Structures are given as C-alpha cells and as structure tokens.
Amino acid sequence: MKGESFALDPLEEENAAYSAMKTNAELWHKRLGHFNHKAVMTLQKKNMVQGFPYLELDIRDCIACQQGKQTRLPFKQATWRATEKLKLIHTDVFGPYNTPSLNGSKYFLIFIDDYSRMCWIYFLRFKAEVAGVFWKFKQWIETQSGHKIQVLRSDNGKEYTSNQFNLFCEEAGIEHQLIAPYTPQQNGVSEKKNRTIMEMARCLMCEKNLPSEYWAEASHTAVFLLNRLPIKAVVGRTPYEVWFGFKPFLKNLKVFGCLCFVYVPQIKRDKLNKKAEEWIFIGYSLTSKAYEIFQPNTKKIRSSERCVFHGK
C-alpha cells in the first residue's frame, strides 16, 4: 500500500485484490454497543426502527465481546455419590467473623459425610488449628462409625495445603482432593452447607435480637437441627437416620435464645436466696443429655439437664 491506495503493477503476472471494508453487520455491531447480534436482527426483521441498513445474518467472532462478556459455563450437577460412610468427606473453613464468639472463636470448620450428608462443626480461633482438629475428628469418627476416611475434598486454602496437613493425609492413606483455583462450585456441598448454616443461624439470632457474639452457638444449633431435617440429597430420610440407623427424637427441642430457669442446689444458697437463676438457652450438648445455657451477667456457659423454659 502506498499512501491511501494499493499499488498495481500491470507487468506482474498475478495480482490479487482484497476488500478492506468491514461488513455492515460488524460495523453496526460496534455502533450498537456490541449488543447480541441475533437480537439486533429482530430490529431488521420486524422493521422496528428507521434508517437501519440490511445486515448479514452472521458476524465474525468479536474479540471485544469475548473479553467483555465471557462467562463460565455452568457446572453439571455431580452424579457420583458415595455408597458408604466416610468414603468421601467434604470440608471447608468459614470466616473470619469480625466479632469473636463467646469462647473467642473467629472461624468454624465443617466436615460433611457425602453418603449420609451428616455434618459436624468445630470452632477455631486461628486457621492454623485446622490440621490438628482434622486429626482429632478422624480418630473420633472412625472409632464411632467403624469405617475409615478414604477421600477428603477441600479448597486450596493454605490451611489445607500445608506440609503438616499433607503429611497427616499421607500417613493415614487418605486421598486429598483439591478443587481447581477460584472454582468453589467444585466444592459445592460444603459451600451450600455454609450458606444454609449461616442463614439459619442469622434467623435464630434475629428471632431473639441476640448480639453477634452468639454466632457460634447459633451455628452449632443450626447444624444440630439440619442433621435432623430433610435434605434433597437424601430421599425419604434425614441425615441423622442414615448415619445412626434410627429416626431422630425432636420432642426435646426448644426455641433458641429463650429464657430458662435453672435450679440452684441447696448447698450453694442460703435459706432466703433464690432457688432458681435466669439463664439463656443457647443449644444442645453433644456430650450429655443436657441443654447448653449461658448466663450474661457472669459470662458462664454450662450444661444443665433440668431447666424450666419460658417461651418454649
């Protein structure tokens, strides 16, 4: 090209000419803000505007559209499910919370059995505690169930990729599956459970206008309840029934955050002292057949079997 024109030498045996003009479709695609071309063709087909030229049906791939409109393809729902307990465990860490819990925790760690969808929750002050908590959970759950953890699925958080954590898995013969970076959909079981736990915990606290430091107790209660409620992944049974083999008992449930009165033993009071103290119900004990209660004045948490509830 010389200047603004192509040079043509008639003495050459072969010459070729190529159009440098963009098609109307490409030009108007840009003029219309890279709007969807099929939708633009509707303007032409139905004569919806004036001064609009004839456009070609197809346009070449637009790089600007690829850069500006690119989206991730939806993930297909996983069809594979574990066929026995502890064959696959999902895990994730949620946090940190701006407000520490009553016990000073800022994170919670969950483990979900893929077969039964039974969930266990632990509260942490630091993410560095994950490896130690997992090792204790492994020993406890394998003893209780009589099965061995075969596969563990987690994200790529540093708490899961540390040398200590990898060494634990290698020594125990556990296959540790890591999801692709920035792809939480691959760890969807844990992500959905986190959201469900937080939604229920938020509702529990809002119901009684409890301050944010009760988040751990509300989350613990949410997991306790969710294990005893129906879930789409388990048809016709609750996670509790699939795991333990019998239906859960719900008659002892109380309203989270309600007021309760706890009997004071005679040895701890004088004759004219109160025979009962006011406490707040904050959950269910997993180590004994008792309720977890909290006294705001003394900041004490304890378990009690005998409580008289106000506002059940």
Side-chain angles (χ1 to χ4, degrees), residues 93 112 157 191 235 276:
V93 177
I112 306 168
E191 296 293 337
V235 181

Side-chain angles (χ1 to χ4, degrees), residues 18-188:
Y18 300 93
S19 173
M21 295 292 295
K22 293 184 179 295
T23 64
N24 276 338
E26 291 180 81
L27 178 62
W28 280 91
H29 175 70
K30 295 179 179 181
R31 287 181 176 178
L32 295 173
H34 296 268
F35 195 69
N36 182 272
H37 184 65
K38 291 183 179 179
V40 171
M41 293 300 294
T42 306
L43 296 178
Q44 176 179 285
K45 183 178 179 180
K46 297 187 177 182
N47 196 24
M48 299 172 66
V49 293
Q50 297 180 8
F52 199 64
Y54 173 81
L55 302 181
E56 295 82 358
L57 293 177
D58 298 317
I59 60 173
R60 293 183 297 179
D61 292 335
C62 177
I63 296 178
C65 286
Q66 296 294 332
Q67 296 173 336
K69 301 180 182 181
Q70 186 68 269
T71 59
R72 177 176 291 173
L73 293 175
F75 281 79
K76 295 182 180 180
Q77 187 174 1
T79 56
W80 185 88
R81 283 287 303 279
T83 55
E84 61 182 26
K85 298 177 182 178
L86 303 188
K87 191 168 185 178
L88 171 61
I89 293 292
H90 305 269
T91 182
D92 195 20
V93 177
F94 190 88
Y97 285 84
N98 294 328
T99 305
S101 69
L102 297 176
N103 285 327
S105 300
K106 289 189 175 182
Y107 303 85
F108 72 67
L109 168 66
I110 59 171
F111 298 102
I112 306 168
D113 175 51
D114 188 75
Y115 173 67
S116 64
R117 294 302 167 93
M118 189 76 173
C119 179
W120 297 269
I121 188 169
Y122 294 84
F123 299 96
L124 317 172
R125 295 190 177 188
F126 307 99
K127 278 190 174 183
E129 302 174 38
V130 169
V133 172
F134 169 65
W135 192 248
K136 292 179 181 178
F137 169 77
K138 174 190 173 299
Q139 293 178 316
W140 173 77
I141 201 66
E142 290 182 349
T143 301
Q144 297 297 319
S145 65
H147 293 73
K148 296 286 186 180
I149 297 178
Q150 299 181 31
V151 181
L152 182 74
R153 183 175 297 167
S154 70
D155 58 21
N156 283 274
K158 292 182 179 180
E159 63 275 11
Y160 290 114
T161 57
S162 65
N163 292 332
Q164 183 186 19
F165 198 93
N166 290 331
L167 183 61
F168 282 164
C169 292
E170 289 178 8
E171 291 179 348
I174 297 174
E175 179 187 342
H176 186 193
Q177 296 180 351
L178 296 172
I179 66 173
Y182 310 108
T183 315
Q185 294 89 342
Q186 292 184 351
N187 200 23

